[in-house]
Every structure is written in structure tokens, then in C-alpha cells.
Amino acid sequence: MINSKHVLLIVAGGIAAYKALDLIRLLRQNYMDVKCVLTQSGSEFITPLSIQTLSQNEVYQDLFSLTQNHKIEHIFLTREADLIVVYPATANLIAKTALGLADDLASTLLLAVPSSTPIIIAPAMNVEMWENSTTQNHIQTLKKKNILIAGPDKGIMACEEYGYGRLIQPKTIMCLINKTLFPMQPLKGKKALVTAGPTYEPIDPIRFIGNYSSGRQGYAIAESLHKAGAEVTLVSGPVHLPSPENINLIKVTTAQEMLQACFTNLPVNIAVMTAAVSDWRIKNVAQQKIKKEKNALPPVLEMDFNPDILACIAQNSNERPDLVIGFAAETQNHLKYAEDKRKNKKCDWIVVNDVKPDTNIMGGTENEVTIISSSGMEHLKKAGKKEISHLLTLKIIKFFATINKG
Ligand code: CTP
């Protein structure tokens, strides 16, 4: 596990408990190790098996059992955790935590948490229960202990009443978890430009030349740089991916549009060019759909070179970014070809991947890359594109830490 942040998730009862499964998935996607405690009432709504499958860890339910290594569970779990999250938290568990009652595993470990370990509690209950002065007094007690109360949201509840009491969404608490665990944003103040996806070069109003790039690697890098604090502009060719939040997304179609969007957004500190830019475009794009003439040969398409965006940015002496990173997609001799590209285009690093069709990398969700720089090569073993992005971001952070020292 790259990040090696350990999150202890307590899932209490309530109709919203199913959302905890989504949160576990998000935590795992953010490279966190998740251990879960399921309360008796929580197990009425979701099963330990679902949690175990998603978290890939044992589920803890019993106060009087020891871990596999014969450690006392409620002590061991709290000592190992970087963060404790209660999602959802019932009025009952909130009351027990405020009063210091410890009659099951969840409440006991909430009492045993070292004061330096942050706790986030996300309440979910009926509006009257939430607004009841007893609950509100307990919430004040927890806030005084520096426990973060996340939510609840306002809306229609399962009981069809309206008001505050709905569990906050998994994505919202995930942002809060990231902010709590990573308060330092090492790339804060830095601007980044990322290109992603394919470009489509029109032949006529309905046909184009394109490629299989999904844009996933570029989008993941943009998100990872954003999480590290950078202000990110993502120039994207046509892809089928959701727009990332808090990132300046500019959608383009052709290589020439991509070049223009990139230059409009200079200067930046970091440029990461993952796009699979079409090397050629059609010289004379037909204004009307090209018809197939009976007994005639297929049309011969005359092509022109597209600009090399990476080379233009790396060799732009006025506003050259501090760090220019190219990607290379190769089906053979990938290390040699990539090193040649790095030198010819004059970028600082080139991230090369072997995109032979049987690797399923182009268009797929995983990648296996080698990062080549003037000081050598670093191979990253096959992993999800998000995990690869995270490792690349760590390398970028190290680069800026070094030049800032120098
Ligand atoms: N690139 C670019 N503009 C182009 C072509 C490529 O910015 N017109 C960038 C890509 O975004 C990538 C790097 O150059 O960062 C290498 O792209 P790749 O397609 O692997 O190589 P090409 O330069 O196109 O060379 P070839 O097709 O011969 O492998």
C-alpha cells in the first residue's frame, strides 16, 4: 500500500449504512488501508462479508476477541489508525461517545483513541432525534474534544420526514478525510498543465482519424496533482470520463485546438503531456460528407503534420515550465525510442509504456511504466492508473523539494 495511511472505519446502524460500502471503495482508491468495525445494529443493514470483500481486511465486531496476532482489538485498532471515521454514526453511539460509555467494541475503542489521533463522526438519524437538545448537547461535548462532526445533510429521509439528519455523501467525507490526513499540500502555489485523451482529426463533417486513448491516465494525474495542492488545467481530447472536480477542464477535439489551449494556459510550473496526439491531420477537410462514388476507388487522403505540442512547450524559451514530462506509447523497443523522444523533444522526463495490444494498457485501467530522465530510469510495476499517478506525483513533489533547496 503506497500511502500507507490506516483508516479505522466504524459502521453503526441505520438505513444509510450501505453508503459505507462506497466510502470503503473510495478509501481504497485513495490508497488507504481500511479496517472496519461493524456494530451489532450496523450488521442489521450490511453484511460483514460485503465489508470484508471491499476493504480486503478482516471485519471486527466483538469486544471480547483478540486479533489474529493475539492483540487486544480495541487497543490495537486505535493505535494503528491514522484516523478514525464513524460513518454513519447513530444517536446512540454519539451519546455513548460523549458520555464515555463503553459497552461494545465501537464505543470502547472510541474511548481508547489516543488524543493525537483525529476522529470524524458523520451523524445520520431522524430530524427530531438530531434536533433533540440531548443529541445537540452530546454533539457540543464531542466538538469540545476536537472531534470533527461531518454533516448531517438536509433532505427527505427514509422515514419520509424532511430536515437535517441525512448522512453526508461518501465523496464529501472522502474530501474531508483527505484534508485531515494530508493537511500539507506540497504543490500549493504551483500551476500544472496536463493533456489527456486522443485528438480527433476530421476527414469530413462526420468522419475522423482517432486512436484508442481513454484519457484515464491523464485524468488521474490531473486529480493527483490537484490533491497535492497544484492548480491544475486539464486539456482533454474527446473521452468518456466524468469531469474532475476543482480542475480547470478545457475540452478540445483536434491537435491544433489542443496546442492553442495549452499555450493560452501558460505559464505553468509543471506540464504533463499524456495525450495521444494525432501526428497527422487531413490537409483539405471536406466541407460536406464524402460520398462513395460507384465504381470509383476510395478517396486518397492527403495529410499534413500536426504540431508537436510537447516539443513546442519544452522548447518554448519564453515560458518553459520548470518540469516538462512527456509520455511515450510504444509497441516495440520502448526504452530506446522513449529516450530518443526525450532528447529530441527536449522534455525533462518521459514516461514510457508498452502499448502492444495484448498489454491492454491503451484504453485500459492499468499501466506499467518506466520514467526516464537525464539521471536514469525508474520502473514502476503494473498498477492501476491512479496508483501510477500517485507515484509520479510523489516524484514531482520530490523534484520541487530538491530545486527549492538548491
Ligand atoms: N505529442 C505531442 N504532440 C504530438 C505528438 C505527440 O504533444 N503531435 C506528445 C504526447 O503527448 C506524448 C509524447 O509527445 O507526451 C510522445 O507521443 P507519442 O505518440 O508516443 O510519440 P510521437 O511523438 O507521436 O512519435 P511516434 O508516433 O513516432 O511514436
Side-chain angles (χ1 to χ4, degrees):
M1 187 74 30
I2 295 158
N3 242 343
S4 291
K5 287 288 183 193
H6 299 283
V7 175
L8 179 62
L9 176 66
I10 299 173
V11 182
I15 195 74
Y18 72 93
K19 290 185 182 169
L21 298 177
D22 266 347
L23 178 59
I24 296 169
R25 284 181 48 240
L26 286 175
L27 287 162
R28 298 272 312 154
Q29 283 167 10
N30 279 265
Y31 322 116
M32 294 180 197
D33 174 52
V34 196
K35 291 216 167 73
C36 293
V37 170
L38 183 62
T39 67
Q40 174 73 38
S41 64
S43 69
E44 300 288 334
F45 293 90
I46 52 173
T47 67
L49 184 62
S50 322
I51 296 182
Q52 194 178 338
T53 311
L54 290 173
S55 69
Q56 294 183 18
N57 266 321
E58 190 184 340
V59 179
Y60 300 86
Q61 293 182 275
D62 188 3
L63 176 58
F64 300 108
S65 63
L66 298 177
T67 64
Q68 280 164 353
N69 310 334
H70 312 291
K71 291 185 178 163
I72 302 166
E73 266 175 6
H74 63 273
I75 303 297
F76 160 74
L77 289 170
T78 55
R79 298 303 179 270
E80 187 204 41
D82 296 297
L83 172 69
I84 319 274
V85 179
V86 189
Y87 183 88
T90 55
N92 182 44
L93 186 53
I94 287 170
K96 286 200 283 186
T97 312
L99 297 172
L101 300 180
D103 64 351
D104 65 357
L105 180 59
S107 54
T108 306
L109 66 80
L110 281 165
L111 195 60
V113 179
S115 58
S116 56
T117 306
I119 303 176
I120 303 178
I121 288 185
M125 64 195 75
N126 166 271
V127 55
E128 296 298 340
M129 290 168 81
W130 172 249
E131 286 176 357
N132 188 297
S133 60
T134 310
T135 305
Q136 287 305 312
N137 288 340
H138 292 325
I139 291 290
Q140 290 316 317
T141 308
L142 297 181
K143 282 185 176 168
K144 275 186 205 143
K145 290 184 179 176
N146 285 329
I147 291 176
L148 209 72
I149 307 295
D153 276 347
K154 197 177 192 178
I156 299 265
M157 322 213 155
C159 57
E160 295 185 346
E161 288 185 12
Y162 180 83
Y164 282 100
R166 283 171 59 91
L167 184 64
I168 62 163
Q169 291 303 319
K171 269 190 180 170
T172 315
I173 191 151
M174 190 64 233
C175 283
L176 212 58
I177 290 170
N178 270 326
K179 271 192 195 149
T180 310
L181 285 174
F182 304 104
M184 292 280 292
Q185 294 200 303
L187 294 180
K188 202 161 184 71
K190 301 267 182 265
K191 283 189 171 185
L193 173 69
V194 180
T195 64
T199 62
Y200 287 177
E201 308 299 330
I203 297 171
D204 66 16
I206 60 160
R207 302 183 179 96
F208 62 86
I209 304 176
N211 60 65
Y212 294 122
S213 169
S214 68
R216 282 197 191 97
Q217 188 65 77
Y219 274 56
I221 288 171
E223 284 195 46
S224 176
L225 290 170
H226 164 69
K227 270 187 205 154
E231 188 186 324
V232 183
T233 295
L234 172 62
V235 180
S236 169
V239 296
H240 303 283
L241 296 173
S243 303
E245 280 169 30
N246 302 316
I247 285 174
N248 175 26
L249 175 66
I250 301 173
K251 289 201 162 173
V252 295
T253 305
T254 65
Q256 284 176 305
E257 288 167 10
M258 189 172 270
L259 177 79
Q260 205 194 337
C262 287
F263 270 79
T264 308
N265 282 281
L266 292 181
V268 294
N269 306 93
I270 312 153
V272 189
M273 318 308 276
T274 74
V277 184
S278 170
D279 292 316
W280 310 284
R281 64 173 180 273
I282 308 299
K283 206 166 193 173
N284 297 306
V285 177
Q287 294 307 305
Q288 302 298 332
K289 183 183 169 194
I290 303 171
K291 302 297 291 175
K292 60 176 185 297
E293 306 290 344
K294 251 190 190 160
N295 304 324
L297 292 170
V300 175
L301 301 173
E302 205 185 333
M303 303 243 215
D304 231 341
F305 279 108
N306 262 332
D308 190 312
I309 305 170
L310 171 63
C312 291
I313 287 186
Q315 292 163 36
N316 162 36
S317 50
N318 283 343
E319 291 182 321
R320 189 191 193 276
D322 304 315
L323 182 61
V324 180
I325 306 173
F327 267 64
E330 304 291 353
T331 54
Q332 57 176 343
N333 297 334
H334 53 289
L335 295 180
K336 157 136 188 32
Y337 285 162
E339 174 58 356
D340 290 348
K341 273 180 199 173
R342 189 184 74 80
K343 286 187 177 148
N344 294 339
K345 300 192 187 208
K346 296 192 170 38
C347 57
D348 301 300
W349 304 350
I350 198 128
V351 182
V352 54
N353 43 29
D354 180 352
V355 291
K356 273 198 291 292
D358 61 351
T359 60
N360 202 21
I361 281 175
M362 195 121 179
T365 53
E366 293 196 312
N367 208 349
E368 181 173 358
V369 304
T370 303
I371 305 173
I372 305 178
S373 67
S374 60
S375 52
M377 293 187 188
E378 188 181 339
H379 181 76
L380 307 184
K381 66 178 193 313
K382 194 166 192 168
K385 287 184 175 172
K386 289 198 173 179
E387 202 145 333
I388 296 284
S389 308
H390 180 72
L391 287 175
L392 185 65
T393 301
L394 289 180
K395 206 172 153 65
I396 293 171
I397 292 168
K398 223 187 257 175
F399 169 86
F400 281 101
T402 316
I403 61 166
N404 286 345
K405 257 189 229 156

